[in-house]
C-alpha cells in the first residue's frame, strides 16, 4: 500500500470519560473499540474495497500493532492510543495527527464536542505513504461540516458501525473527490508535473545514453571497417605485386620457350643454307678456271700459228 491512493474514511466517537491503557504487547496506548467508555466506530467507508484486514510485517513495524486486525479496529486503536487534540471553536475539526507505518499513513483530527456532548468526534482517513498528508487534512476539514450537519443528532447515541450505510454517500463523495490529490491540491499537481518532467527527463537521458552507446558502437564498427579496408588494401597490393611477378615470370618463360624453339628450328636451316652456298661457290670457281685455261690455250694456239711458217700464207 506504499502508494498515493486514498484507502478509506472513518468516523469515531471518543468518550470523554476515559483515556486508553497501554497494551503490554504492543507498546501503543489503545482502548477497546466499540466500548461505551472508549472509542466507538460510528461509520466507515472502504474506498479501496480490496481488504478488510491487515497482517503485520514484523515487530514494531506495523501501524496495526503487528497483528491481523480489522482495519477499522486497528485505526481505532491508533486514534484511541494517541487521541487528537481537538479545537476550541465549534463547527470545525482540528488537532490533526499523522501516524505512519512502513506501508501507509493514518491522518485524523477531532472537533470540540460539536457532534455530541460530552464526547469528542474524530474523522480519520487511511492513505498510501505517497498521498500528501495536507490533502488528507483538507479532505477531513471539508468532510466535517456536511457530516455534522446530517448526523450530529444520531452520532450522540449511535452504536458501533450504525451510521455506515446512512453516511456512505457523504463519505464516498468526498473520497471520490479527493481520490486524485493532484485535482484538489495545487502543490500536489505541481509535484505531479515535476514528477512528469523528471520522468520525461529521465527518458530523454536514457534515450541520449542509448544514442551515445549506439554512436559509440557505430564508431567502433566504422573503425573496424576502416581497419579491414586497410588490411584489404594492403593484401590487394601484395596480391597485385605477386600477380605482376608471376606475369613477368610467365612472360620470361614463354619468351625463352619461343626463342629456344626458333633456335632449334632455324640453326639447322641456317647451317644447311651456308653449306649450300659454299658448294655453289666451289662449282662456280671450277668453271671459271676451265674457261680461263681454255682461253689461255686458245690464245697460245693462235699465237703459235702466227709464229709457225707452215701456217703462213706466203
Amino acid at each position: 500500500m506504499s502508494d498515493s491512493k486514498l484507502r478509506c474514511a472513518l468516523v469515531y466517537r471518543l468518550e470523554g470519560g476515559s483515556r486508553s491503557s497501554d497494551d503490554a504487547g504492543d507498546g501503543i496506548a489503545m482502548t477497546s473499540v466499540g466500548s461505551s467508555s472508549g472509542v466507538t466506530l460510528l461509520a466507515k467507508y472502504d474506498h479501496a474495497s480490496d481488504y478488510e484486514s491487515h497482517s503485520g510485517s514484523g515487530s514494531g513495524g506495523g501501524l496495526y500493532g503487528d497483528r491481523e486486525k480489522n482495519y477499522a479496529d486497528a485505526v481505532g486503536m491508533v486514534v484511541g492510543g494517541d487521541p487528537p487534540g481537538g479545537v476550541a471553536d465549534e463547527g470545525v475539526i482540528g488537532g490533526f495527527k499523522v501516524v505512519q507505518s512502513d506501508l501507509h499513513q493514518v491522518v485524523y483530527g477531532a472537533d470540540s464536542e460539536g457532534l455530541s456532548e460530552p464526547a469528542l468526534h474524530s474523522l480519520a482517513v487511511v492513505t498510501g505513504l505517497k498521498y500528501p498528508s495536507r490533502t488528507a487534512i483538507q479532505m477531513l476539514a471539508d468532510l466535517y461540516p456536511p457530516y455534522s450537519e446530517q448526523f450530529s443528532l444520531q452520532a450522540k447515541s449511535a452504536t458501533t458501525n450504525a451510521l455506515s450505510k446512512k453516511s456512505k454517500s457523504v463519505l464516498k463523495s468526498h473520497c471520490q473527490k479527493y481520490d486524485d490529490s493532484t485535482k484538489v491540491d495545487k502543490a500536489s499537481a505541481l509535484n505531479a508535473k515535476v514528477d512528469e518532467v523528471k520522468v520525461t527527463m529521465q527518458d530523454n537521458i536514457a534515450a541520449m545514453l542509448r544514442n551515445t552507446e549506439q554512436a559509440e558502437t557505430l564508431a567502433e564498427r566504422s573503425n573496424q571497417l576502416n581497419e579491414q579496408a586497410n588490411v584489404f588494401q594492403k593484401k590487394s597490393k601484395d596480391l597485385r605485386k605477386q600477380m605482376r611477378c608471376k606475369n613477368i615470370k610467365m612472360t620470361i618463360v614463354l619468351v625463352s620457350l619461343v626463342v629456344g624453339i626458333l633456335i632449334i628450328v632455324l640453326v639447322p636451316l641456317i647451317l644447311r643454307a651456308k653449306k649450300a652456298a659454299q658448294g655453289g661457290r666451289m662449282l662456280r670457281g671450277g668453271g671459271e678456271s676451265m674457261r680461263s685455261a681454255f682461253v689461255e690455250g686458245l690464245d697460245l694456239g693462235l699465237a703459235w700459228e702466227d709464229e709457225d711458217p707452215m701456217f703462213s700464207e706466203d
Side-chain angles (χ1 to χ4, degrees):
M1 201 167 65
S2 179
D3 51 31
S4 60
K5 299 298 183 181
L6 191 151
R7 295 293 171 176
C8 59
L10 308 103
V11 181
Y12 296 94
R13 182 174 64 235
L14 305 181
E15 302 297 339
S18 66
R19 282 287 177 169
S20 58
S21 60
D22 289 342
D23 187 286
D26 300 318
I28 299 177
M30 295 177 288
T31 58
S32 175
V33 178
S35 66
S36 58
S37 61
V39 179
T40 302
L41 173 67
L42 298 179
K44 65 177 181 178
Y45 172 68
D46 185 3
H47 183 60
S49 299
D50 62 351
Y51 69 97
E52 278 291 330
S53 63
H54 176 81
S55 179
S57 58
S59 61
L63 182 62
Y64 299 157
D66 295 327
R67 56 191 175 184
E68 188 175 293
K69 289 181 176 295
N70 180 280
Y71 75 94
D73 292 345
V75 175
M77 287 190 295
V78 173
V79 174
D82 186 14
V87 292
D89 299 331
E90 295 184 0
V92 295
I93 189 173
F96 297 101
K97 292 187 177 181
V98 179
V99 178
Q100 293 183 337
S101 71
D102 295 337
L103 301 175
H104 52 266
Q105 63 182 354
V106 177
V107 182
Y108 57 98
D111 61 4
S112 59
E113 304 177 358
L115 289 179
S116 63
E117 297 179 357
L120 295 176
H121 287 79
S122 173
L123 301 181
V125 62
V126 179
T127 69
L129 287 178
K130 296 181 181 180
Y131 191 93
S133 58
R134 61 178 176 277
T135 306
I137 292 173
Q138 180 181 346
M139 171 188 169
L140 297 179
D142 188 28
L143 173 63
Y144 181 81
Y147 196 92
S148 62
E149 181 180 353
Q150 296 182 39
F151 303 104
S152 59
L153 296 178
Q154 301 177 47
K156 294 179 180 180
S157 59
T159 58
T160 302
N161 206 24
L163 300 180
S164 291
K165 291 184 179 180
K166 296 179 181 180
S167 60
K168 180 178 179 180
S169 60
V170 177
L171 298 177
K172 181 178 180 180
S173 63
H174 281 75
C175 286
Q176 290 177 344
K177 178 181 178 180
Y178 287 87
D179 181 68
D180 187 355
S181 62
T182 61
K183 294 181 179 180
V184 292
D185 184 67
K186 293 182 179 180
S188 298
L190 182 60
N191 289 334
K193 291 181 179 179
V194 171
D195 292 338
E196 291 178 0
V197 172
K198 287 182 179 179
V199 172
T200 302
M201 291 300 296
Q202 290 174 353
D203 293 340
N204 293 337
I205 292 173
M208 184 176 65
L209 292 176
R210 287 194 299 269
N211 294 334
T212 303
E213 292 177 356
Q214 292 176 357
E216 292 176 353
T217 302
L218 292 176
E220 291 178 358
R221 291 181 180 177
S222 178
N223 293 332
Q224 292 176 357
L225 291 175
N226 289 333
E227 292 177 357
Q228 293 176 358
N230 293 333
V231 172
F232 177 77
Q233 185 177 7
K234 183 179 180 180
K235 289 184 177 180
S236 64
K237 288 182 179 180
D238 295 339
L239 181 61
R240 192 180 298 114
K241 290 180 181 179
Q242 294 176 1
M243 292 302 295
R244 187 180 298 113
C245 294
K246 288 183 179 181
N247 291 334
I248 293 173
K249 290 179 180 180
M250 289 298 296
T251 302
I252 293 173
V253 171
L254 291 175
V255 170
S256 300
L257 182 61
V258 171
V259 170
I261 293 174
L262 291 176
I263 290 173
I264 293 172
V265 173
L266 294 177
V267 167
L269 293 177
I270 293 171
L271 293 176
R272 290 177 184 177
K274 284 183 178 180
K275 289 180 180 181
Q278 289 177 358
R281 282 196 298 272
M282 290 176 66
L283 291 175
R284 284 194 300 273
E288 289 178 356
S289 299
M290 291 178 67
R291 282 195 302 272
S292 298
F294 178 77
V295 172
E296 288 178 356
L298 184 59
D299 289 341
L300 290 174
L302 291 176
W304 183 74
E305 286 180 356
D306 289 337
E307 292 178 358
D308 192 352
M310 292 181 63
F311 293 95
S312 174
E313 292 180 357
D314 29 82

